[in-house]
Structure formats: C-alpha cells, structure tokens
Amino acid sequence: MSKQNVIDFFRAISVNSKLQEKFNARNLAELIFHANNLGYEFTREDLASVIGRIEETVILKKIKEKTIGSRSKLWPKMWGKYHFQYVIEVLMSYFSEEELKELIR
C-alpha cells in the first residue's frame, strides 16, 4: 500500500501547482513528513523504490535505451530542476494511470 501512496501522492501533486511549488525545495525528510500529514504514508525506501522503478522503465522501455548510464537522454531533462520537480514534470509524464498501477504490482 505504501508504494501506491507514493503514486497517489505524485498524481495529486502533479495537478496542483501550488503544492508542487511547496514540495520542490523540501528535503527528503520534510517531503515525507508533509506527504504523511496530507495522508500519503510512505517511507524513504518506498519513495526510492518507486522512483527507481519509474526511471528504469522510462530509460529501458519508454525511450528504449539498452542500458542505464550517465549518457541517458533522460538525464539532461533534470538539469536546472529540483529533483522533485523532475519526478513530477518529467518522469510522471511518460505514464498513463494504468501503467503506473502496473509498475507497483
């Protein structure tokens, strides 16, 4: 359920620019604390697992690169962004609702 909470949190933030702006500059502990206060309970391990799975899927399946490495076409898309902003604006844009559900099954 916690990984589902990560996805639900990302979806809720992606449609609320004011909340996204608030979360962009937060460190990991603050992000988890405030997400939990909003009802999205997950751990740093849950968050890392979901983001890792999303990045892996984008690189290997969506943009069809053979390996994950420092030369990925994905990495320049994070330049100049907060990490959270990159996750919400870039990574999440590659997935439909159904694909996100499949990722965490």
Side-chain angles (χ1 to χ4, degrees), residues 9 23 25 32 43-44 50 52 55 63 72 75 79 87 91 102:
F9 172 66
F23 276 95
I32 291 170
T43 65
R44 68 179 49 223
V50 171
E55 283 183 325
I63 59 178
S72 174
W75 305 140
W79 294 346
V87 169
L91 294 180
E102 287 296 317

Side-chain angles (χ1 to χ4, degrees), residues 17 21-22 42 57 61 84-86 89 96-97 103:
S17 59
E21 192 174 307
K22 282 184 172 184
F42 52 82
T57 301
K61 295 182 180 175
F84 185 75
Q85 181 182 17
Y86 155 75
E89 292 180 2
S96 69
E97 292 289 321
L103 272 179

Side-chain angles (χ1 to χ4, degrees), residues 62-75:
K62 298 289 186 172
I63 59 178
K64 300 186 187 307
E65 294 181 347
K66 294 186 189 292
T67 60
I68 298 172
S70 62
R71 297 180 189 252
S72 174
K73 295 175 207 166
L74 184 62
W75 305 140

Side-chain angles (χ1 to χ4, degrees), residues 22-38:
K22 282 184 172 184
F23 276 95
N24 277 340
R26 300 222 188 264
N27 66 38
L28 181 57
E30 292 171 331
L31 185 138
I32 291 170
F33 174 79
H34 290 289
N36 287 335
N37 285 340
L38 290 174

